[in-house]
Amino acid sequence: MFTQRLGIYIFLGFISLSVAYKITPIVTQEGIPDFLNITTEPFVRLGNNYYYFRSNIITNWYDAYQSCRDMGAGLIDFESIEEWNLINNYLNDTGIYKKYWTSSNLLADKKNVTNRTWFSTGKPMTLDIWYPGEPNNLGGNELCDEMGRYGTPKFWGLNDANCYDKLCFICKALKPATASFLVW
Ligand code: MAN
Ligand code: CA
């Protein structure tokens, strides 16, 4: 009898404590608010995404992909022509003109050259950002797609290449989201 009552008192005490605070609302938003001032290095923020430009090492497509995964990121994909232009402009500003692996590839269905996907997202690669004459599947063994700055005048474009070529690469972080709530 006594223990039962004690149990009820503790329960009521808990209820009255919890109604002293209102927690409203729980909001999840894309990105990281500026006031949080979080360090994302070595990833740089461009638009709403975070990128890591590996311009000082070269490696094959598979190893590049693993290196990005090791950092909780993926090899770069481009969701729109705006994102492609953003990265082009950034690279032009830095003046570092390397060849970079992207996650675009033909590995899952190599007989159908139009069936390319972004390995990081599984989405079809439909952007027309190829360098003129590409993809040409030179030697019948170009299944991984790199971006480079070619031509006169030079401009950025995609080229299908051998997955074991050694190139620089760009990682793109998974989209960060911020959850916040108000205690009142
Ligand atoms: C090299 C490779 C190919 C590319 C041609 C273009 O041979 O990078 O992938 O198509 O150059 O001339
Ligand atoms: Ca090619």
Side-chain angles (χ1 to χ4, degrees):
M1 193 64 181
F2 176 77
T3 38
Q4 259 181 1
R5 272 197 195 159
L6 191 67
I8 289 166
Y9 289 139
I10 291 168
F11 180 65
L12 290 177
F14 175 72
I15 296 258
S16 61
L17 190 75
S18 63
V19 293
Y21 302 92
K22 254 199 298 183
I23 300 180
T24 47
I26 297 171
V27 182
T28 305
Q29 64 190 76
E30 268 190 29
I32 304 172
D34 291 336
F35 67 82
L36 281 180
N37 204 13
I38 280 181
T39 305
T40 58
E41 275 176 36
F43 288 80
V44 293
R45 181 181 178 166
L46 298 173
N48 287 327
N49 286 292
Y50 294 80
Y51 307 89
Y52 183 20
F53 294 84
R54 305 300 315 265
S55 302
N56 52 358
I57 56 168
I58 53 168
T59 190
N60 68 55
W61 187 88
Y62 305 96
D63 187 53
Y65 196 85
Q66 285 184 163
S67 298
C68 294
R69 288 301 306 134
D70 190 35
M71 304 190 79
L75 204 50
I76 195 166
D77 68 294
F78 298 104
E79 293 163 78
S80 64
I81 198 74
E82 287 77 20
E83 187 180 9
W84 166 252
N85 290 333
L86 193 71
I87 300 302
N88 287 195
N89 292 338
Y90 176 80
L91 290 170
N92 289 339
D93 288 347
T94 61
I96 302 170
Y97 304 137
K98 299 286 176 66
K99 288 182 173 185
Y100 295 95
W101 284 124
T102 74
S103 78
S104 174
N105 75 92
L106 198 59
L107 290 162
D109 182 10
K110 61 182 180 179
K111 291 205 179 68
N112 185 354
V113 288
T114 58
N115 201 6
R116 310 185 101 85
T117 50
W118 299 110
F119 200 77
S120 300
T121 61
K123 299 274 190 297
M125 201 303 256
T126 52
L127 293 178
D128 189 10
I129 52 178
W130 296 100
Y131 192 76
E134 304 296 344
N136 62 356
N137 195 17
L138 202 79
N141 202 17
E142 295 195 317
L143 304 176
C144 296
D145 303 328
E146 47 114 343
M147 60 182 291
R149 196 170 178 266
Y150 310 102
T152 321
K154 286 189 171 13
F155 62 93
W156 292 93
L158 283 198
N159 168 42
D160 57 343
N162 188 303
C163 302
Y164 285 99
D165 284 356
K166 292 195 167 182
L167 306 176
C168 296
F169 57 98
I170 305 167
C171 303
K172 179 176 166 184
L174 301 181
K175 281 196 170 50
T178 310
S180 53
F181 57 86
L182 174 71
V183 181
W184 181 254

